[in-house]
Amino acid sequence: MTQKNARTAARTFGYCRVSTKHQSIRRQETEIKGLYPDAVIFSEQWTGTEMDRPEWMKLYKRLRPGDTVVFTELSRLARTAQQGFEVYEDLFTHGVNMVFLHDSNANSDVYRNAMNQQRMDVNITTGSDATDTLIKTVLDALQRFTFDIVREQIRHRFNAAESEVTHLHDRVKKGMAEKGAGAKIAA
């Protein structure tokens, strides 16, 4: 992720991914462009089990604080919950906004707003160094606690997305096997 001059205007990108040549990426592109017509779209056919995808890496290297990346679903970012959480946390802590069209509760602004509501820039001076230190320690602990809750909520959303994809693959495999088409499905 690049660190550029903060005065540069924030940009909006869309990231679209399908796993096989038998899938169409057009739906994702259309949905993103429908809501973000100025978004620069990065699209690719690549498995979601790898994060070292060519188009993703091009986009990732261009991102800077204040930019927005739009995905149709959490599973377009990463296939596994652990990978998704790690990338999400990296982008989040670097000030990149993430929008998930089919799961707006996972949007980075939801978590950023929750954390900002808990931030208390309180300048309390009681005249006692010990009391001031205690108050600051308690407020810092509350902020760390809030951030830990936010992290767990994000992790939970990625676990749910991974579970959904796994169940979908199982249903497709069973359906293909019943029709005698074999049971091969891409990740």
Side-chain angles (χ1 to χ4, degrees):
M1 185 174 334
T2 60
Q3 297 292 328
K4 299 254 178 162
N5 187 332
R7 289 176 281 169
T8 306
R11 303 159 304 168
T12 302
F13 300 97
Y15 179 73
C16 306
R17 182 189 58 74
V18 294
S19 299
T20 71
K21 62 183 176 188
H22 303 294
Q23 297 170 301
S24 172
I25 208 160
R26 189 173 314 225
R27 177 191 58 84
Q28 293 176 52
E29 293 170 341
T30 301
E31 287 185 40
I32 292 172
K33 281 294 202 175
L35 294 170
Y36 297 87
D38 296 330
V40 175
I41 302 290
F42 286 76
S43 299
E44 64 191 327
Q45 177 197 320
W46 206 271
T47 179
T49 59
E50 299 175 22
M51 288 309 300
D52 195 21
R53 303 182 297 260
E55 291 300 306
W56 170 252
M57 293 311 297
K58 283 182 197 173
L59 171 57
Y60 181 81
K61 289 175 183 175
R62 289 182 66 181
L63 293 172
R64 60 181 182 245
D67 286 347
T68 299
V69 183
V70 183
F71 306 86
T72 55
E73 304 165 28
L74 284 167
S75 65
R76 300 302 87 198
L77 173 58
R79 182 59 47 86
T80 69
Q82 186 60 38
Q83 285 176 333
F85 176 75
E86 289 171 2
V87 173
Y88 188 105
E89 187 174 40
D90 178 53
L91 294 174
F92 185 86
T93 57
H94 284 93
V96 174
N97 302 306
M98 290 161 282
V99 174
F100 299 92
L101 299 181
H102 296 281
D103 191 357
S104 61
N105 289 324
N107 292 352
S108 59
D109 66 343
V110 170
Y111 296 106
R112 202 167 271 117
N113 290 340
M115 289 176 58
N116 287 338
Q117 287 177 359
Q118 287 295 319
R119 282 207 171 89
M120 297 178 212
D121 294 326
V122 179
N123 189 7
I124 297 174
T125 43
T126 63
S128 164
D129 289 342
T131 303
D132 293 348
T133 299
L134 174 62
I135 291 171
K136 181 177 179 349
T137 301
V138 169
L139 292 176
D140 288 346
L142 285 172
Q143 288 176 352
R144 284 191 309 275
F145 176 72
T146 300
F147 185 69
D148 288 344
I149 289 172
V150 166
R151 291 180 75 214
E152 286 307 309
Q153 290 174 344
I154 294 167
R155 189 182 305 275
H156 174 73
R157 298 205 83 72
F158 275 100
N159 284 330
E162 179 180 353
S163 179
E164 181 181 326
V165 168
T166 300
H167 292 309
L168 174 65
H169 285 179
D170 289 344
R171 288 191 305 270
V172 169
K173 285 178 186 178
K174 288 176 184 173
M176 291 174 72
E178 284 180 19
K179 287 209 168 237
K184 181 170 175 34
I185 184 169

